[in-house]
Amino acid sequence: MQWPGAYCDTKHSCCYPKTGKPTADFSIHGLWPNHKDGSWPSNCDPDSVFDRSEISNLMGSLQKNWPSLSCPSSNGFRFWSHEWEKHGTCSESELDQHDYFASALKLKEKVNLLSTLKKAEIEPDDGFYSLDSIVKAIEAATGYVPGIECNKDSAGNSQLYQVYLCVDTSGSDIIECPILPRGRCASTVQFPKF
Ligand code: 5GP
């Protein structure tokens, strides 16, 4: 999941979706089948092209929870199509295209990152928080240690950008990550406003 404030305040900035500025919440970046050693397959089935009609019943929820912030401004289809074709096709024996998107949405709902962090008084207020306190708050709420990735704002501050959690093969339960991504965070990181 990505924090939109950290996607948008970097040197290259962002573009809001055509539907307007997303709500200030973490949004989905992707659901990525990985091998246990941390490597991951990609673009596994060139014959399985993204078909928007398969996710028509999820549209409202995808626009809200999985907006695309890259430029130029879009309605999300390019991002979803990229995520399906690059990553989703690699778990299509478990999750077809509809279930891939539905599972990601369900997982996001299960782990309400923003309210979890707020309960620990970690808020998107441009304040600085210890990386450890962020990890601990998410671990306390989910039972699992998350991977935290940072990027830099235009002033060069290390800031909270993405939160990684691992899920089982069925895409329904959170599990312990066999390997955590290297997150490039300083020991204290900013949680930017959005
Ligand atoms: P991935 O890391 O999932 O393989 O690729 C992400 C791709 O999706 C990048 O090419 C990026 O430009 C595009 N993209 C479109 N919208 C977004 C967004 O809101 N966040 C991120 N992280 N990437 C986006």
Side-chain angles (χ1 to χ4, degrees):
M1 274 167 290
Q2 63 180 359
W3 176 248
Y7 188 89
C8 288
D9 72 355
T10 60
K11 263 190 242 158
H12 55 70
S13 85
C14 73
C15 292
Y16 294 154
K18 293 197 169 123
T19 46
K21 184 180 177 178
T23 44
D25 190 10
F26 284 88
S27 57
I28 299 168
H29 176 166
L31 179 59
W32 305 325
N34 276 33
H35 298 297
K36 282 203 172 127
D37 66 3
S39 66
W40 44 275
S42 63
N43 298 103
C44 297
D45 183 4
D47 295 329
S48 181
V49 286
F50 178 74
D51 174 1
R52 57 176 78 185
S53 72
E54 286 183 38
I55 52 163
S56 51
N57 73 321
L58 304 174
M59 279 304 304
S61 187
L62 285 170
Q63 278 170 349
K64 180 169 183 296
N65 296 292
W66 200 333
S68 171
L69 290 165
S70 68
C71 295
S73 180
S74 76
N75 52 17
F77 285 114
R78 265 174 76 99
F79 190 26
W80 305 330
S81 155
H82 167 87
E83 293 298 315
W84 168 253
E85 289 176 8
K86 182 170 172 187
H87 302 285
T89 55
C90 298
S91 54
E92 76 189 327
S93 56
E94 298 290 331
L95 300 169
D96 64 20
Q97 191 196 292
H98 176 272
D99 293 350
Y100 173 78
F101 287 97
S103 300
L105 290 167
K106 238 185 239 159
L107 286 162
K108 176 182 182 270
E109 207 176 286
K110 200 186 284 201
V111 186
N112 192 334
L113 280 180
L114 192 61
S115 76
T116 292
L117 291 172
K118 278 187 176 161
K119 274 184 206 137
E121 297 182 345
I122 298 169
E123 305 197 38
D125 57 2
D126 282 345
F128 286 80
Y129 298 90
S130 80
L131 179 62
D132 197 47
S133 67
I134 296 172
V135 170
K136 291 266 156 61
I138 297 170
E139 184 184 8
T142 62
Y144 300 99
V145 177
I148 307 291
E149 184 186 348
C150 294
N151 66 3
K152 285 192 171 152
D153 69 10
S154 43
N157 294 310
S158 178
Q159 58 180 358
L160 176 58
Y161 170 42
Q162 301 204 101
V163 176
Y164 292 74
L165 287 163
C166 294
V167 304
D168 68 343
T169 309
S170 73
S172 49
D173 291 313
I174 297 170
I175 58 167
E176 191 185 307
C177 286
I179 298 224
L180 286 170
R182 252 178 294 132
R184 296 186 294 257
C185 294
S187 56
T188 300
V189 303
Q190 191 167 28
F191 193 179
K193 286 184 183 159
F194 181 63

